[in-house]
């Protein structure tokens, strides 16, 4: 065969080293989630398309990976439909299942399906891959990993507060400096109401979002182009000019939005949340950001987004409160709030900051050199003893040249080598070599245990 | 909506409790794999169909889940092909990707694709789900989990030996009694050669496999029905009557197969492997089983299969040596050996034996009762202190009735409750309740740390 085999574009293999780095991220988020009382669930890679379609907008529907029905999948399609070549209509006939696109919709489906077994408030986390048929590009994959943490069945703002704490704790443990930006969908609704442009809430937020980049005049121009009246644009100006601390901004907002019950409710929520936060001694920076508008179609309260301070990359974590999530599956009146950590971008940030370099890669701790069949029994007894002491140990499987075996240990960064050849067997001893220091010493077999306990790292 | 949402048949949701039980299995195999010097890799859920097709036989090809191409997937299909309704031909035009069917073929693909970065012998483990469009039934799922451990690039029988040790160690840690059955493909070839029926090796092995169930006469009858000559059947009889210990059986075999170089090589391999095993002090039983014939198309040396002694279920682990695995991807002459642990069946065995009941389910350790906004600051400081001590702690998010909060702790098996109401705040103290004993005591805030260290379990 002339060419190497390959994998689908946008997907990745993970080497041993990459696995360890990813596990470090997963372990960190998992530990913090558990510390805050969240428990794991998992859902299948495939969902019925009926559960997925229509949940992510038209664009999302196009990005779903669909799975061809098994067997004679064409039996339900007539000739006219076949030659009609309406691919999207036909795919609904030949595919019933799709790969999950995120962890939120499967979670909503899970909650509704298992509502009778679940104890509410239900605090769950979920760490699994998701798939999107997006155009692959640097940092964007077709298979990537999300780490979601949500609580469903409680309206309390203490949940929002604890999610902010979780975010702060995770990134502090990972040593990534972050800004946690918070907004509230009710405030955005209030602003649109105040401007008399409730239907244009998305246009307004998208335009405001560009304030830093393009300046006030350009934002106003964009809004006029979107159809906002001169009057509305004029009314918007004090909102673009808010200044001061978060409580000060909220007070200014309160005066401006005094006629909007929804807006005032949002302001009140932010006031409570920021009062918790102000006493929390967070390590990262938290700020009110009125331009934050992610997932407008489904958030109903707080909106949260996290950016790395030192690395220019999209948001590395985000989420918010959604009052109607399970409604699409027939269960109303259950409010939830959650955030999702983007493992792949976090990986890139850690890599960029050089923080992986300091990680001790856990390979085997000891390699026992293989001298051939005459020495095998002796070597196996050494290996056995070390493993009983929980020391990750390898016996090189072949009686290869010493140089080759040493180079294997070197490539795999195995820190200790044990030589148990003819001489050692005769004197009932071992030669133990430290690969990084280049030192070696002779240890009697009876002292191996003590030597191991004083020198070798134990497996966890 | 009248009906609950559902998931595709043959797939499963995993609840918090099931997740913990599965994690216990995964953690156990992972720890043992690492102890023996194996390192993790992962491969994408989707592979190119060109990597998968033809690797699992015609039946396997049918069981692959295929993923519909994105965009206008019909553009490469002409009208004639469409109305020809040849579903299998058409699927190759409209699908380029499929879900992985096992972990072995992706591993072979990985080794060939990354050959220049890999240090050989390459000892890897891989724990991931696989998908098969099999008819779902009790204990058989369309999405299930495999835990594979393989070493590639070494011929040494020490690898086979260490895999047997790994199997023994895993099941001993899981407290499942097992029989490890071992055979050798070269011996099976030798037998077929000796009978002069090399082409009927599969028929012969399948028939011999039924010896225990149907007896010698019925086996002979079946072999004649498959086309074996009377002479061959007669020659087979001493093989069906082998008796004694493994070394004795091997000696008898050696006399019978004295003309077959392949057979003798297989016998020699088994002799060496069993000599290692006889000194290993294994906890489980290991036996030579000449009827073992799994995966004949691809194993070339040892064949291994593990059965539970106490629960009647198919094999819970199996594998063998394959000399040509990477050959299909254009890389010859690299021998590998490995086994795969079936996590789902192991789960069922543990469940059946009641071994999960003794597991301590790790929910949160402490629930702090929520009395409302006046007490929130005090409660939050308690929660904060406990989390700093690595105690998994929840503050109930809403100021619900005490009974409801207690019942939440009870359902979630949270062992400790902290009450910090008006009285406690005034006296700068806490009431700490042990849920299983029903006892409670008052602890001053200053003593919380000491109390926690003496009583509460820490998060790992």
């Amino acid at each position: 065969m002339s060419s190497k085999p390959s994998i689908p574009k946008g997907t990745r293999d993970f080497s041993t080293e990459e696995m360890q780095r990813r596990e470090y991220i997963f372990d960190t988020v998992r530990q913090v989630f558990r510390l805050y009382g969240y428990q794991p669930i998992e859902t299948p890679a495939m969902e019925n398309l009926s559960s997925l379609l229509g949940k992510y907008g038209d664009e999302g529907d196009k990005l779903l990976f669909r799975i061809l029905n098994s067997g004679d999948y064409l039996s339900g399609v007539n000739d006219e439909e076949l030659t009609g070549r309406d691919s999207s209509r036909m795919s609904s006939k030949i595919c019933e299942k799709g790969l999950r696109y995120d962890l939120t919709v499967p979670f909503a489906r899970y909650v509704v399906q298992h509502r009778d077994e679940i104890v509410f408030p239900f605090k769950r986390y979920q760490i699994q891959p998701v798939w999107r048929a997006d155009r692959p590009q640097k940092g964007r994959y077709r298979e990537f990993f999300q780490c979601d943490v949500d609580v469903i069945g409680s309206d309390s703002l203490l949940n929002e507060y604890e999610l902010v704490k979780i975010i702060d704790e995770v990134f502090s443990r990972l040593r990534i400096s972050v800004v946690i930006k918070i907004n509230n969908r009710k405030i955005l609704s209030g602003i649109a109401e105040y401007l008399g442009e409730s239907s244009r809430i998305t246009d307004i937020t998208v335009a405001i979002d560009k304030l830093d980049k393009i300046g006030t005049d350009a934002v106003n121009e964009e809004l006029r182009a979107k159809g906002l009246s001169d009057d509305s644009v004029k009314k918007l100006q004090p909102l673009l000019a808010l200044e001061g601390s978060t409580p000060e901004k909220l007070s200014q907002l309160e005066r401006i939005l005094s006629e909007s019950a929804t807006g005032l409710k949002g302001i009140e929520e932010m006031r409570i949340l920021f009062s918790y936060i102000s006493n929390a001694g967070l390590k990262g920076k938290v700020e009110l950001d009125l331009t934050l508008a992610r997932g407008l179609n489904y958030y109903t309260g707080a909106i949260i987004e996290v950016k790395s301070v030192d690395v220019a990359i999209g948001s590395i974590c985000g989420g918010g409160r959604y009052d109607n999530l399970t409604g699409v599956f027939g269960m109303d009146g259950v409010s939830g709030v959650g955030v999702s950590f983007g493992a792949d971008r976090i990986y890139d940030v850690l890599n960029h900051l050089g923080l992986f370099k300091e990680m001790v890669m856990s390979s085997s701790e000891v390699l026992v050199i293989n001298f051939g069949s005459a020495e095998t029994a002796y070597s196996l007894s050494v290996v056995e003893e070390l493993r009983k002491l929980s020391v990750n140990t390898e016996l090189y499987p072949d009686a290869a040249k010493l140089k080759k075996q040493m180079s294997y240990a070197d490539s795999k960064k195995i820190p200790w080598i044990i030589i148990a050849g003819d001489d050692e067997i005769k004197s009932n001893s071992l030669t133990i070599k430290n690969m990084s220091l280049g030192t070696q010493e002779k240890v009697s077999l009876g002292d191996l245990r003590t030597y191991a306990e004083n020198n070798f790292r134990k497996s966890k």
Side-chain angles (χ1 to χ4, degrees), chain A residues 60-299:
Chain A
D61 283 354
K62 280 186 203 143
L63 299 183
L64 290 172
F65 279 110
R66 288 153 202 257
I67 294 162
L68 197 64
N69 292 343
S70 304
D72 186 11
Y73 56 90
L74 289 172
S75 65
V77 193
N78 63 41
D79 281 0
E80 204 178 327
E81 284 167 327
L82 279 172
T83 50
R85 294 176 168 278
D86 180 341
S87 13
S88 99
R89 201 174 145 202
M90 190 148 121
S91 64
S92 70
K93 296 223 159 190
I94 63 178
C95 299
E96 280 169 5
K97 296 178 285 292
L99 294 180
R100 79 179 153 246
Y101 179 91
D102 72 358
L103 302 177
T104 309
V105 169
F107 174 54
R109 193 265 312 142
Y110 179 97
V111 168
V112 178
Q113 190 175 333
H114 301 279
R115 59 207 290 178
D116 300 331
E117 307 138 39
I118 292 173
V119 182
F120 293 95
F122 182 41
K123 300 173 81 170
R124 87 86 174 79
Y125 71 84
Q126 191 169 352
I127 300 176
Q128 288 192 281
V130 301
W131 296 271
R132 297 183 187 175
D134 242 324
R135 185 185 302 274
Q137 50 178 261
K138 193 172 156 22
R140 193 202 280 164
Y141 306 102
R142 290 184 152 192
E143 174 179 71
F144 59 98
F145 289 76
Q146 294 191 329
C147 313
D148 277 27
V149 56
D150 292 79
V151 49
I152 197 158
S154 162
D155 295 324
S156 168
L157 290 164
L158 282 171
N159 298 302
E160 276 84 341
Y161 165 63
E162 291 213 331
L163 288 170
V164 171
K165 287 274 290 177
I166 284 175
I167 292 169
D168 191 62
E169 182 76 30
V170 163
F171 289 112
S172 140
R173 290 188 184 196
L174 292 173
R175 296 193 288 146
I176 296 175
S177 300
V178 296
V179 181
I180 305 173
K181 298 178 177 214
I182 305 183
N183 196 5
N184 191 298
R185 161 67 196 244
K186 295 188 183 82
I187 295 179
L188 293 176
S189 297
I191 292 174
E193 246 179 85
Y194 156 76
L195 299 178
E197 305 274 3
S198 287
S199 64
R200 294 211 173 80
I201 178 167
T202 308
D203 291 340
I204 295 167
T205 324
V206 167
I208 300 180
D209 188 27
K210 299 180 185 164
L211 190 60
D212 279 352
K213 276 192 207 141
I214 62 176
T216 315
D217 291 347
V219 166
N220 291 339
E221 202 171 315
E222 179 168 328
L223 286 170
R224 278 187 209 101
K226 294 275 181 191
L228 249 73
S229 68
D230 283 348
D231 191 42
S232 297
V233 173
K234 196 174 157 199
K235 283 178 85 177
L236 182 67
Q237 298 316 301
L239 288 161
L240 299 183
L242 289 185
E243 275 189 349
S245 65
T246 297
E248 284 163 6
K249 281 184 186 168
L250 288 172
S251 297
Q252 293 163 51
L253 260 182
E254 194 170 24
R255 282 190 296 275
I256 302 170
L257 304 184
S258 61
E259 304 289 308
S260 163
T262 308
L264 292 176
K265 180 80 172 63
I267 291 163
E268 178 60 15
E269 286 179 11
M270 287 298 95
R271 213 167 241 152
I272 294 172
L273 178 53
F274 274 93
S275 78
Y276 293 144
I277 291 171
S278 66
N279 294 315
L282 299 187
K283 291 127 195 161
K285 204 177 150 195
V286 185
E287 61 185 37
L288 177 69
D289 181 349
L290 293 178
T291 69
L292 197 61
R294 36 180 300 137
L296 267 190
N297 294 327
Y298 84 43
Y299 293 126

Side-chain angles (χ1 to χ4, degrees), chain A residues 366-370 376 379-380 383 387 393-398:
Chain A
V366 177
L367 175 73
V368 177
I369 299 294
N370 187 328
T376 298
S379 303
L380 283 176
V383 166
R387 287 183 184 146
T393 307
E394 291 182 50
L395 170 62
Y396 196 86
D398 304 285

